[in-house]
Amino acid sequence: MKPPRTGLLGGHGWAAGPTLLSSLASGTAAGTTLVIARGAGPREFGHFTLVLTIALIVAVGMLMSLHYVMLQELPRAEPADRPALAATAFLSTLALGGGLTAAGALLSPVLAVPVGVDARTLCFSFALGLSLALNQLTEGLLRGLKRYTFVATLKLAVAVVYLAGSAVCLLVFGIRDAEVYLLALIATNVVFVLVAVPGLGIVPRSWSWAPARSQYRLGAYMTVIAALTGVLFGIDVIFLNHWAGKGDVGVYSVYNGFPKRLLGVLFTDGVGLVLLPALAVADKPAVMRRIARITPLVAAGTAAVSFAASTVFFFLLGGGYPYSLGLMALSSLGIGAHMVFNLYSVALSMDGVRGARLLVGCLAAGTPAALACLAACVARWGLTGALAGFALGNAILVAVVATATARTYRPAGPPRRPAAQEGETERVEAQR
């Protein structure tokens, strides 16, 4: 009998249809960002990027990593228990996220000062963060239930609607206000959730305190990781907004944020569509050894794709975004290292408490140096410094996590023979 075909990380076939649909959805979303960047201009696109960056950070506290918990727990749970798990996770996130959004809106005049933005920007960020948290959780629930085709099709449909609406606003009505497109993004996230939730079979009365407490306990390590990475990979925009301005934030987003986000989404929605649930039950030492072997290829391939794609993007954007070959090469190196770190991070996050603890330790060790490097570079060289600091910071993190993972997941040696047997073997060899 022919053995089943296996993927890179072992034992699971490839879902070509959902992967293709998810890739198309990601490409469509990227196209929408490109349309907004070109039509709105660097300053308004910089504002759009700033709000999105803050929203991604605050969404961490709203979501508390329950989407990752569901990716691990739903495949392992009995079918009869899955609706209650989904209901508990969704309703808990809705309550926590809604409470934080209301508090953020009330306290925005105070909170906006240390962030370096105005209160209105912060209110938009909290509203967008809530929609992103619910969107990500719903995706995690659908993937945990292995409804890959449905989630991919829905994402593609919503992405097409957002692209069409943005194109009409820019090309027909000439609207260049970033807040219009932020409101549209919030609306598309809400539509995705409203369409997807009925299929999950969520019944409010099935919410239970015991599974909620268990889910948040399991998500605690992942939340620490998400908070550290959210700040680490989002504060570059906040630093640049402080030391340079929204115009440079818009240009930086095209050099770095746009290709980084596109490749990350393609990984999550394409490869990760099937990979993440598979990693929950995979042999982790074997996975880590395979990742260590392919990291040079991942870094080089990602850098090459980023460089080529961004060159095309700059051509399409026109003269409003100045192109520099050196800056593009610097950005590509940073994105290549960032993708390697993401690969390690995803694999460790699916290894339960052991992997989460290791990743937290790596972030705790590498984050201070990475942030100090980034801040110094941005303060001194602005846009160029932001790209250089991002690349150096990711190189530091990759070095830390690769070293720690190799030590933790190294293969066990051959079983040691009893001392009496070893002595007998040595006596026989001596006689020979």
Side-chain angles (χ1 to χ4, degrees):
M1 182 177 178
K2 182 183 288 187
R5 294 181 64 185
T6 60
L8 173 66
L9 299 176
H12 297 273
W14 188 253
T19 299
L20 177 60
L21 289 173
S22 291
S23 299
L24 288 173
S26 300
T28 304
T32 305
T33 306
L34 193 66
V35 168
I36 296 171
R38 179 181 174 87
R43 181 173 177 79
E44 287 298 314
F45 185 55
H47 181 61
F48 180 93
T49 301
L50 181 63
V51 171
L52 179 58
T53 299
I54 299 172
L56 290 170
I57 294 173
V58 300
V60 172
M62 300 175 180
L63 189 54
M64 296 295 287
S65 302
L66 292 194
H67 59 316
Y68 273 117
V69 173
M70 290 296 99
L71 282 173
Q72 298 179 61
E73 293 301 307
L74 286 176
R76 300 168 180 166
E78 294 295 329
D81 297 331
R82 291 170 184 169
L85 289 174
T88 299
F90 184 84
L91 294 174
S92 299
T93 302
L94 181 61
L96 178 59
L100 289 176
T101 301
L106 290 173
L107 297 174
S108 59
V110 177
L111 297 175
V113 175
V115 181
V117 298
D118 58 272
R120 184 180 179 87
T121 295
L122 203 58
C123 288
F124 264 98
S125 299
F126 272 95
L128 180 57
L130 177 58
S131 72
L132 289 171
L134 293 174
N135 182 290
Q136 291 176 34
L137 177 65
T138 305
E139 276 194 62
L141 294 172
L142 291 171
R143 292 181 181 185
L145 295 171
K146 299 183 179 180
R147 301 186 62 182
Y148 305 130
T149 302
F150 176 72
V151 68
T153 303
L154 182 56
K155 283 181 69 66
L156 179 58
V158 170
V160 169
V161 170
Y162 185 43
L163 173 60
S166 299
V168 169
C169 288
L170 282 168
L171 301 178
V172 177
F173 299 106
I175 300 173
R176 284 162 173 71
D177 187 350
E179 292 185 353
V180 172
Y181 303 100
L182 290 169
L183 287 171
L185 181 56
I186 293 170
T188 56
N189 287 332
V190 172
V191 168
F192 177 90
V193 173
L194 292 177
V195 173
V197 164
L200 297 173
I202 290 177
V203 179
R205 65 175 178 271
S206 65
W207 185 93
S208 176
W209 172 249
R213 183 175 55 196
S214 175
Q215 289 170 9
Y216 279 117
R217 185 172 62 248
L218 290 172
Y221 284 105
M222 290 307 305
T223 301
V224 174
I225 293 167
L228 287 171
T229 55
V231 172
L232 186 60
F233 300 128
I235 203 168
D236 51 355
V237 170
I238 297 173
F239 282 166
L240 196 58
N241 180 66
H242 174 72
W243 275 302
K246 291 181 180 178
D248 277 0
V249 170
V251 176
Y252 176 76
S253 184
V254 177
Y255 273 109
N256 181 273
F258 182 60
K260 178 184 69 178
R261 194 175 302 118
L262 172 60
L263 290 168
V265 171
L266 283 172
F267 175 80
T268 303
D269 292 343
V271 178
L273 188 69
V274 178
L275 178 62
L276 294 182
L279 280 173
V281 294
D283 176 46
K284 301 306 184 298
V287 168
M288 299 306 174
R289 290 195 296 272
R290 291 188 177 99
I291 289 176
R293 287 197 295 268
I294 66 172
T295 49
L297 292 176
V298 171
T302 302
V305 170
S306 173
F307 188 94
S310 296
T311 301
V312 175
F313 298 151
F314 270 97
F315 174 77
L316 295 174
L317 287 170
Y321 297 83
Y323 179 78
S324 166
L325 192 64
L327 292 180
M328 196 67 256
L330 188 59
S331 171
S332 299
L333 290 175
I335 292 172
H338 183 66
M339 183 58 72
V340 171
F341 175 78
N342 279 343
L343 186 58
Y344 272 111
S345 179
V346 167
L348 288 171
S349 69
M350 301 308 291
D351 191 24
V353 173
R354 177 178 64 166
R357 282 177 175 169
L358 179 62
L359 187 53
V360 168
C362 292
L363 286 168
T367 295
L371 285 181
C373 181
L374 176 64
C377 289
V378 174
R380 185 172 179 82
W381 296 299
L383 174 62
T384 303
L387 294 171
F390 180 80
L392 290 173
N394 276 278
I396 292 170
L397 291 172
V398 168
V400 172
V401 75
T403 302
T405 302
R407 292 177 61 87
T408 303
Y409 293 90
R410 58 189 171 198
R416 184 175 179 83
R417 291 175 296 180
Q421 184 178 348
E422 289 183 356
E424 179 64 21
T425 301
E426 292 173 358
R427 185 183 65 79
V428 171
E429 292 294 333
Q431 290 178 350
R432 290 178 180 175

